[in-house]
């Protein structure tokens, strides 16, 4: 609505409505003059303005549209980043086809929505980032390696925000749920960088974010006088609700209840006084809020959803867990630090707990998708008009490998994204994926980071990896004087009591074990090429009547 214009100034149409609202007694059905109102209408009170969700009275064209109900330019992007990598055997999908597959143990919380996600396998970050937390974090959203301690490359979310963010009150949300801050290299603490290469400030307190978005937190007088946003918007609410249809009224009531639910959740976060947790935190300098990390992540997800629904912003990123997270997940019964658990090769017997923490993160991703689907937009839902990327910049958590990143894509993308699939690639570039998402979000650009092309298989069906074909040459080539040369298919096996086993499979159905030291495997970056056919030279010994490779000397990937 133009500045100074009231609802009564808008052009009208004849419609039948109910006139009851949450703040008055129900009234009978009447015929009345209704006014179309602009998409940018706000509920206003003293020191506060809240954007409204999509309503029928905003425009017939908007309310009747299916799919991208809020218009071609109203798609939203959310990136959910989970540091510390995964256990490959617990993450990877075994067998199946593009459309027929079984989710892995870690992905199990998504079972009920298999048709609403696309699992991406075989996408690599810049392989020069292999082995380091810093490079893995930076490359995840910039597609580039570290440039300096002070300046990096722009992240893809900010390219999108530069394109579409000027039309919303907040250009983008940059959030974190993990309170840990790395003091040795600040590059690990950021995902989003602007066009100058500067990191964007990260909001870590959901109460502050809520106040900034919905309460006008900079106004100290308002903070003292106002206990709830809802108390300040009743008069403005009446002006809109009196014009609303039955369906609009339901949407408004759900919207207002959602705002109150977030307030209650943040109040619980603020008021928690658990003494056991407080005592633990007192002894750990970094953990000022770690005891409530679960509630913090959930509150941030709620805030992103409601900010998207009200069109307050269309771009958001959330670092659910830092790449070197010291978070303790005692709220699910796990009292070890996440980063400690991630080093499951060197810290034995921690795999069950590590897998459970990763499973919890997937469950929060699932919760967020549920939240998006609960908000209506015209004849569709907010989910239909979102693009959501969940993943980590590291695959094998102990080797810090950046090949075959754990990635899941969801959201309808305005009808553009093909869901319900497991799409496999042959070492595709993560920058290609980022470029494709930028294009879906309306950015007219043909290159980003180290991209070579927009990633295929997102807006169209198809699998882009051909399984290795056994040509009959997978075998031991030579074995003499403690040195062996083999050719075959490299695989990994991770078990709680045997977490560092690699296997090379031969044409006759047998295999040979690689039981090398952590330093040897890490130095040779063997984990990067799991699933590939290799010719490997190594040292071996006989153990219980079979040959076992104890050191990798060199290998060639075919």
């Amino acid at each position: 609505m133009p500045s100074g214009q009231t609802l009564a100034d808008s052009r009208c149409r004849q419609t039948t409505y109910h006139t009851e609202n949450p703040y008055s007694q129900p009234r009978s059905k009447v015929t009345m003059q209704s006014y179309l109102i602009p998409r940018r209408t706000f509920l206003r009170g003293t020191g506060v303005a809240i954007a409204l969700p999509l309503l029928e009275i905003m425009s017939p064209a908007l309310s009747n549209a299916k799919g991208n109900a809020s218009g071609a330019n109203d798609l939203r992007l959310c990136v959910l980043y989970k540091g510390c990598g995964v256990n490959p055997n617990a993450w990877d999908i075994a067998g199946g086809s593009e459309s027929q597959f079984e989710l892995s143990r870690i992905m199990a919380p998504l079972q009920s929505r298999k048709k609403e996600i696309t699992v991406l396998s075989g996408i690599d970050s810049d392989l020069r980032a292999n082995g380091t937390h810093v490079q893995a974090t930076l490359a995840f959203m910039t597609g580039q390696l570290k440039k300096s301690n002070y300046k990096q490359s722009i992240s893809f979310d900010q390219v999108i925000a530069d394109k579409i963010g000027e039309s919303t009150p907040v250009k983008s949300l940059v959030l974190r749920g993990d309170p840990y801050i790395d003091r040795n290299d600040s590059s690990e603490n950021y995902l989003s960088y602007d066009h100058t290469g500067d990191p964007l400030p990260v909001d870590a307190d959901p109460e502050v974010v809520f106040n900034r978005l919905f309460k006008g937190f900079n106004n100290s007088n308002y903070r003292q006088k106002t206990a709830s946003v809802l108390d300040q918007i009743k008069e403005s609410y009446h002006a809109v609700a009196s014009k609303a249809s039955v369906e609009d009224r339901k949407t408004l009531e759900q919207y207002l209840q959602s705002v109150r639910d977030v307030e209650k959740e943040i109040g619980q976060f603020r008021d928690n006084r658990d003494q056991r947790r407080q005592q633990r935190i007192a002894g750990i300098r970094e953990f000022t809020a770690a005891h409530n990390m679960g509630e913090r992540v959930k509150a941030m997800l709620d805030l992103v959803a409601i900010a998207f629904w009200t069109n307050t912003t269309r771009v958001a990123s959330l670092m659910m867990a830092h790449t070197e997270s010291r978070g303790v997940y005692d709220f699910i019964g796990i009292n070890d630090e996440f980063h400690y658990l991630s080093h499951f090769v060197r810290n034995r017997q921690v795999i069950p707990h590590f897998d459970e923490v990763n499973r919890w993160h997937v469950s929060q991703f699932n919760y967020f998708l549920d939240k998006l689907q609960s908000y209506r937009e015209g004849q569709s839902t907010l989910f239909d008009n979102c693009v959501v990327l969940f993943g980590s910049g590291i695959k094998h958590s102990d080797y810090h490998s950046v090949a075959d990143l754990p990635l899941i894509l969801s959201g309808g993308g305005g009808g553009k994204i093909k869901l319900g699939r497991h799409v496999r690639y042959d070492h595709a570039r993560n920058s290609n994926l980022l470029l494709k998402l930028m294009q879906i979000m309306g950015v007219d650009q043909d290159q980003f980071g180290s991209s070579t092309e927009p990633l295929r298989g997102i807006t169209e069906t198809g699998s882009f990896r051909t399984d290795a074909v056994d040509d009959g040459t997978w075998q031991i080539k030579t074995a003499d004087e403690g040195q062996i040369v083999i050719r075959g298919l490299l695989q990994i096996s991770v078990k709680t009591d045997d977490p560092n086993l690699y296997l090379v499979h031969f044409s006759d159905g047998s295999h040979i074990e690689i039981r090398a030291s952590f330093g040897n495997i890490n130095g040779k970056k063997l984990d990067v090429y799991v699933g590939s056919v290799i010719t490997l030279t190594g040292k071996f010994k006989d153990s219980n009547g079979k040959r076992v490779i104890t050191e990798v000397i060199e290998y060639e990937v075919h």
Side-chain angles (χ1 to χ4, degrees), residues 366-483:
N366 184 63
Y367 169 82
F368 181 63
L369 299 180
D370 276 339
K371 202 74 175 178
L372 296 180
Q373 287 187 323
S374 73
Y375 293 136
R376 292 180 57 248
E377 281 202 326
Q379 299 302 309
S380 60
T381 69
L382 181 58
F383 174 90
D384 298 312
N385 297 316
C386 284
V387 177
V388 185
L389 177 64
F390 172 88
S392 180
I394 290 174
K395 177 64 178 290
H396 191 300
S397 59
D398 209 349
Y399 286 119
H400 304 154
S401 58
V402 298
D404 189 20
L405 297 178
L407 300 170
I408 305 176
L409 190 63
S410 190
K416 298 176 183 178
I417 298 175
K418 302 297 183 182
L419 300 173
R421 300 181 299 138
H422 174 211
V423 186
R424 301 187 304 154
Y425 297 91
D426 188 10
H427 294 286
R429 298 190 180 195
N430 186 49
S431 291
N432 290 358
L433 170 62
L434 303 183
L435 177 61
K436 182 64 177 182
L437 298 184
M438 288 163 55
Q439 292 180 349
I440 290 174
M441 292 298 299
V443 175
D444 184 13
Q445 192 165 313
D446 57 12
Q447 204 280 330
F448 178 76
S450 60
S451 69
T452 56
E453 62 178 351
L455 188 68
R456 296 175 295 159
I458 303 300
T459 55
E460 62 280 317
T461 59
S463 199
F464 304 92
R465 177 186 175 95
T466 303
D467 289 330
V469 177
D470 184 353
D471 59 2
T473 65
W474 300 358
Q475 60 188 355
I476 296 175
K477 298 294 187 181
T478 63
D480 185 44
E481 296 183 353
Q483 185 163 303

Side-chain angles (χ1 to χ4, degrees), residues 246-535:
V246 174
E247 289 303 313
D248 281 352
R249 196 176 309 283
K250 291 178 181 178
T251 300
L252 281 168
E253 291 173 3
Q254 181 191 20
Y255 166 67
L256 293 175
Q257 185 58 48
S258 297
V259 174
R260 191 176 292 280
D261 287 344
V262 173
E263 282 191 307
K264 289 179 180 178
E265 186 171 29
I266 291 172
Q268 292 171 352
F269 169 80
R270 181 187 58 227
D271 295 335
N272 191 297
R273 295 291 185 269
D274 187 292
Q275 292 301 314
R276 180 178 64 86
R277 288 175 176 170
Q278 293 295 337
Q279 291 171 359
R280 176 183 293 175
I281 292 168
I284 305 175
R285 182 177 57 182
E286 304 291 344
F287 282 81
T288 57
H291 65 294
N292 259 330
M293 187 170 167
E295 287 87 347
R296 181 190 294 267
V297 169
K298 184 172 180 288
M300 289 299 195
L301 293 171
D302 285 341
L303 285 166
V304 172
I306 198 170
F308 278 179
W309 196 40
T310 59
N311 219 30
T312 301
T313 190
R314 296 181 196 152
V315 180
S317 64
L318 171 61
M319 184 181 284
M320 302 172 73
H322 193 281
T323 190
E324 292 195 67
S325 175
R326 268 45 174 186
V328 175
Y329 292 70
D330 52 355
F331 52 89
I332 57 172
I334 296 173
N335 297 313
D336 294 311
E337 293 179 355
F338 193 22
H339 186 229
Y340 171 83
L341 296 174
S342 73
H343 290 280
F344 61 79
V345 173
R346 290 171 284 181
N347 300 323
R348 297 299 180 97
Q349 306 299 320
V350 301
I351 289 176
H353 281 176
F354 181 56
D355 289 348
E356 186 60 29
V357 171
N358 276 312
R359 184 183 171 104
W360 178 84
H361 278 284
V362 172
S363 75
Q364 298 310 292
F365 173 43
N366 184 63
Y367 169 82
F368 181 63
L369 299 180
D370 276 339
K371 202 74 175 178
L372 296 180
Q373 287 187 323
S374 73
Y375 293 136
R376 292 180 57 248
E377 281 202 326
Q379 299 302 309
S380 60
T381 69
L382 181 58
F383 174 90
D384 298 312
N385 297 316
C386 284
V387 177
V388 185
L389 177 64
F390 172 88
S392 180
I394 290 174
K395 177 64 178 290
H396 191 300
S397 59
D398 209 349
Y399 286 119
H400 304 154
S401 58
V402 298
D404 189 20
L405 297 178
L407 300 170
I408 305 176
L409 190 63
S410 190
K416 298 176 183 178
I417 298 175
K418 302 297 183 182
L419 300 173
R421 300 181 299 138
H422 174 211
V423 186
R424 301 187 304 154
Y425 297 91
D426 188 10
H427 294 286
R429 298 190 180 195
N430 186 49
S431 291
N432 290 358
L433 170 62
L434 303 183
L435 177 61
K436 182 64 177 182
L437 298 184
M438 288 163 55
Q439 292 180 349
I440 290 174
M441 292 298 299
V443 175
D444 184 13
Q445 192 165 313
D446 57 12
Q447 204 280 330
F448 178 76
S450 60
S451 69
T452 56
E453 62 178 351
L455 188 68
R456 296 175 295 159
I458 303 300
T459 55
E460 62 280 317
T461 59
S463 199
F464 304 92
R465 177 186 175 95
T466 303
D467 289 330
V469 177
D470 184 353
D471 59 2
T473 65
W474 300 358
Q475 60 188 355
I476 296 175
K477 298 294 187 181
T478 63
D480 185 44
E481 296 183 353
Q483 185 163 303
I484 193 170
V485 178
I486 61 173
R487 178 186 173 95
L489 180 66
L490 178 66
Q491 298 287 5
I492 186 174
S493 173
V494 177
K495 298 178 181 177
T496 300
D497 57 353
D498 194 9
N500 196 35
L501 174 62
Y502 289 82
L503 307 170
V504 176
H505 293 269
F506 298 140
S507 296
D508 63 3
S510 65
H511 65 263
I512 190 170
E513 296 181 352
I514 301 176
R515 293 189 176 277
S517 68
F518 177 88
N520 180 231
I521 297 293
N522 191 43
K524 296 299 182 181
K525 300 182 179 180
L526 191 65
D527 188 72
V528 170
Y529 299 104
V530 168
S532 300
V533 177
I534 64 172
T535 297

Side-chain angles (χ1 to χ4, degrees), residues 23-149:
Y23 302 114
S24 64
Q25 295 297 318
R27 296 166 59 183
S28 60
K29 186 175 181 180
V30 298
T31 300
M32 59 181 294
Q33 285 292 98
S34 168
Y35 301 92
L36 293 179
I37 62 175
R39 177 70 178 98
R40 308 297 177 207
T41 300
F42 290 79
L43 296 183
R44 299 185 183 277
T46 304
V48 62
I50 300 182
L52 285 170
L54 183 68
L55 302 175
E56 289 180 350
I57 56 174
M58 288 176 173
S59 167
L62 291 179
S63 63
N64 293 330
K66 180 69 176 174
N68 187 12
S70 52
N73 295 323
D74 280 4
L75 287 178
R76 289 82 153 184
L77 169 78
C78 180
V79 179
L80 303 178
Y81 178 86
K82 182 210 69 66
C84 290
V86 296
N87 162 13
N89 277 177
W91 175 270
D92 290 341
I93 292 175
S97 64
E98 179 184 356
S99 59
Q100 300 294 323
F101 57 92
E102 294 297 325
L103 294 178
S104 63
R105 297 197 306 273
I106 293 178
M107 297 183 206
L110 296 166
Q111 183 61 41
S112 64
R113 62 170 73 255
K114 272 180 62 177
K115 298 299 183 182
E116 298 162 350
I117 62 172
T118 291
V119 181
L120 306 175
S121 299
I123 295 179
D124 301 349
S125 185
D126 190 316
L127 294 183
R128 292 174 296 172
N130 208 72
T132 71
H133 284 289
V134 174
Q135 299 284 21
T137 303
L138 281 171
F140 187 76
M141 284 176 57
T142 68
Q144 299 275 26
L145 298 182
K146 182 177 179 179
K147 296 175 68 175
S148 73
N149 288 333

